[in-house]
Amino acid sequence: MCRADGYYVPFLVDADNKGALKPTGKTIGLDVGIKEFYTDSNGHTESSPKFDRVREKRLKFHGRRVSSKKKCSPNRKKALNKLGRVHLKISRQREAHAKRVARCCIPSNDLVALVDLRIKNLVKNPCLAKSVNDAGGFIFRKWLEHFDLKNSRITVAVNPAYTSQPCSNCSTLIKKSLSTRTHICECGFVLNRNWNGTIAILAGVVNFLPLPNPPRTCGEGVRNSQMMRGLLY
């Protein structure tokens, strides 16, 4: 396996690495975004590190160095290698961050409900492609599913359609455009759009799954189960 910083030889080892964690009785809903890495149903937001944006000037500098070199020359190969090293460092930082956050989410919750974002469709938008790729939502979900199997937890991916419309307090559907970032309901309930969506997502998953003893969730205000019809695949 060739990388910008050298060659690697992978080894496959068959080992029983499953952990035996005790039930916590906690559930959580997650909404992965661009501005924040994720927002959960408890109101906590994890800031997005934006590794690509931080090193954008460095990438442009090395890109100009590559363009100024003669094609197929040794100097161009050296410049390409330096550019590849910067990209490799960014990808490793993004992977390590997603792994660290996923490791914190899974062991502390019995059930994790997250939005099933279609990354391939989102990157088709030229205005969002760079930010979506930099957010690392797909990598985060990959590590969530990995630690889910390892620690015998439950992870549910939810259809993102209309997840931010229902009010988590009175179940009323409030239509909002993508630019509207605050949920304001007729009942007087005001909350961040993503936070409100995660509460509704979690409530729908807990009501849908046949859990033996469903824990008390933040979304108990969503009383109408039919409102969540079509939320799950």
Side-chain angles (χ1 to χ4, degrees):
M1 184 183 298
C2 181
R3 293 290 184 266
D5 60 345
Y7 293 89
Y8 293 84
V9 179
F11 292 92
L12 181 61
V13 180
D14 187 9
D16 187 8
N17 198 24
K18 290 187 177 181
L21 297 178
K22 296 181 179 180
T24 62
K26 297 180 180 180
T27 59
I28 193 172
L30 299 178
D31 183 13
V32 181
I34 296 176
K35 185 177 180 181
E36 286 86 18
F37 185 71
Y38 77 76
T39 303
D40 64 21
S41 54
N42 299 321
H44 172 72
T45 58
E46 179 74 17
S47 59
S48 179
K50 299 180 181 179
F51 297 109
D52 200 5
R53 297 287 184 180
V54 172
R55 294 186 173 272
E56 189 173 11
K57 291 184 178 180
R58 198 65 181 170
L59 289 170
K60 290 181 179 180
F61 169 77
H62 286 290
R64 290 193 298 267
R65 293 293 298 270
V66 172
S67 300
S68 63
K69 305 301 180 184
K70 185 179 179 180
K71 291 185 178 181
C72 302
S73 65
N75 289 335
R76 184 181 177 88
K77 292 181 180 180
K78 292 179 182 178
L80 281 171
N81 182 262
K82 290 182 179 179
L83 178 61
R85 284 174 180 266
V86 179
H87 280 291
L88 183 62
K89 185 173 183 178
I90 293 173
S91 64
R92 286 176 174 173
Q93 287 177 328
R94 191 180 294 119
E95 185 92 16
H97 176 261
K99 183 178 180 180
R100 176 182 61 82
V101 176
R103 184 184 285 130
C104 295
C105 292
I106 291 296
S108 56
N109 297 280
D110 295 337
L111 171 67
V112 176
L114 71 155
V115 178
D116 185 16
L117 295 178
R118 299 298 184 184
I119 304 299
K120 290 184 179 180
N121 296 336
L122 291 175
V123 296
K124 292 179 181 179
N125 187 338
C127 299
L128 299 176
K130 188 172 184 178
S131 298
V132 169
N133 287 324
D134 194 19
F138 176 78
I139 302 174
F140 179 55
R141 178 179 173 179
K142 180 188 72 173
W143 282 110
L144 281 175
E145 294 175 349
H146 170 77
F147 289 117
D148 167 22
L149 295 175
K150 182 178 179 181
N151 298 306
S152 300
R153 299 303 198 199
I154 301 176
T155 302
V156 181
V158 178
N159 186 352
Y162 304 105
T163 53
S164 61
Q165 307 299 331
C167 178
S168 58
N169 184 56
C170 66
S171 308
T172 305
L173 293 177
I174 306 296
K175 294 185 179 181
K176 296 182 281 292
S177 62
L178 188 60
S179 59
T180 305
R181 306 312 303 171
T182 304
H183 171 79
I184 303 176
C185 184
E186 298 175 353
C187 66
F189 188 70
V190 180
L191 199 64
N192 178 271
R193 175 196 180 106
N194 295 336
W195 188 0
N196 176 75
T198 56
I199 295 175
I201 290 170
L202 180 59
V205 171
V206 171
N207 294 332
F208 182 82
L209 292 178
L211 299 177
N213 292 310
R216 185 180 181 87
T217 66
C218 298
E220 288 182 339
V222 185
R223 292 177 292 273
N224 188 1
S225 60
Q226 291 182 353
M227 179 192 65
M228 308 305 295
R229 182 180 300 173
L231 189 64
L232 300 173
Y233 287 119

